[in-house]
Amino acid sequence: MTAEIGIDLIKAKNILENGDLVAIPTETVYGLAANALDPLAVSKIYAAKNRPSFDPLIIHVGNIEDFQKYTVDFPAQLLELAHKFCPGPITFLVKKSEIIPEITTSGLEKVAIRIPKHPLTLELLNKLDFPLAAPSANPFGYVSPTTASHVYEQLGERIPYILDGGPCNVGLESTIVGCENENLIIYRKGGLDLDEIRKVFLGEILIKDHSSSNPQAPGMLSKHYSPKKRIEILESTTKIDLIEIKSTGFLRFNSRIDGFGNQIILSEKSDLNEAAFRLFDALRQFDKMDIQKVFIELVPEKGLGIAINDRLRRAAAKS
Ligand code: TXA
Ligand code: MG
């Protein structure tokens, strides 16, 4: 099988209705989608990604009314956030309704649900009478794809169709939120800046994005989003071996280091949105270069920079 790349929504719809996989564009990253209500279709996602079956999937719907269909007791605080930010880069972790099969949530009681902000995918979702389960469309553990060709390069032999919606304009996975005892919990920092959430949610916000307390969510394991090249965070104390310089890449935030090759600058104008947009493509470019390792510079720890640094630290993590 070799994937076709196109913008044919009827074709995408037919493939999904037949229980097969389609890669879909979203504002965050590309997803690998199947009918979330069909266990056999969902099992094909795990197989194509080599994803362990204990790592649950996010389901995607076209409008807020669908939240009631696929979840139970959607908390009022989360509904308020949904009205404010959906469609957009936010995912809600809420008790699932019975029609969501166990394989979709890896047997967990809660389902992650979101409304992606991409015109093609929204139109597709509104043509379907089921939600789409879709993890990021990359092999398990690797960097998420932000263009149709990123998907094609890695999964092109395993899926029939890639819906091409152009480059993802946020470029980081969605922020995952839920509610525990009236508090808002952030399970994954992502494309929706926490400061935006703080403006709307006045109660306590707790961050629980570490795997130790949450072994069922390996996407939050410290090592994830990992390129093939060795990644090291560049600190002011890092000694750069000049003999190795030709085989070293540098991921920089806004400026070049004079005299070194293999540099990618995320945003010359120091714009964190632009840096997020370019991040995963940059990590993929380093993987194609003839180098041994990459030094990465963290970006300012504010706004979207918090989620960018989270991905960079995980890419650099040893285990
Ligand atoms: O932006 C996004 O969220 C993208 C696009 C395609 O929508 N999707 C995405 O999916 O990033 P994925 O599977 O790569 O990451 C989802 C994360 C995983 O770490 C998974 O473990 C966690 O969400 N997750 C999903 N359902 C869950 C559940 N029921 N309970 C706990 N964690 C869950
Ligand atoms: Mg992923």
Side-chain angles (χ1 to χ4, degrees), residues 169-232:
N169 55 28
V170 174
L172 290 174
E173 302 83 358
S174 59
T175 301
I176 305 182
V177 304
C179 237
E180 292 176 21
N181 308 321
E182 308 289 304
N183 296 324
L184 186 72
I185 314 293
I186 307 292
Y187 296 101
R188 177 173 70 184
K189 296 169 193 151
L192 181 66
D193 178 352
L194 278 189
D195 293 339
E196 293 299 312
I197 297 179
R198 279 201 189 92
K199 283 184 203 156
V200 182
F201 186 85
L202 302 175
E204 178 117 37
I205 301 183
L206 304 175
I207 297 179
K208 277 200 189 175
D209 63 346
H210 286 291
S211 54
S212 51
S213 58
N214 195 2
Q216 279 99 343
M220 293 140 204
L221 284 178
S222 28
K223 184 161 183 61
H224 210 75
Y225 310 102
S226 301
K228 298 190 181 80
K229 295 280 149 69
R230 189 149 62 85
I231 304 279
E232 250 179 70

Side-chain angles (χ1 to χ4, degrees), residues 79-133:
L79 205 54
E80 208 182 317
L81 293 181
H83 282 289
K84 174 84 181 154
F85 296 117
C86 295
I90 182 166
T91 295
F92 301 93
L93 196 56
V94 178
K95 192 161 185 262
K96 78 175 187 73
S97 70
E98 271 182 14
I99 31 174
I100 303 292
E102 299 232 317
I103 184 172
T104 302
T105 62
S106 303
L108 299 174
E109 279 203 344
K110 289 187 176 173
V111 65
I113 188 166
R114 84 178 196 96
I115 307 177
K117 188 176 185 174
H118 190 291
L120 266 186
T121 293
L122 279 175
E123 201 180 328
L124 175 65
L125 285 166
N126 288 322
K127 285 182 193 300
L128 295 170
D129 55 11
F130 48 80
L132 291 176

Side-chain angles (χ1 to χ4, degrees), residues 139-173:
F140 182 70
Y142 193 67
V143 178
S144 297
T146 52
T147 65
S149 48
H150 290 166
V151 179
Y152 186 83
E153 281 165 20
Q154 292 188 304
L155 299 178
E157 299 299 318
R158 300 182 179 197
I159 60 177
Y161 199 64
I162 301 171
L163 194 59
D164 187 355
C168 302
N169 55 28
V170 174
L172 290 174
E173 302 83 358

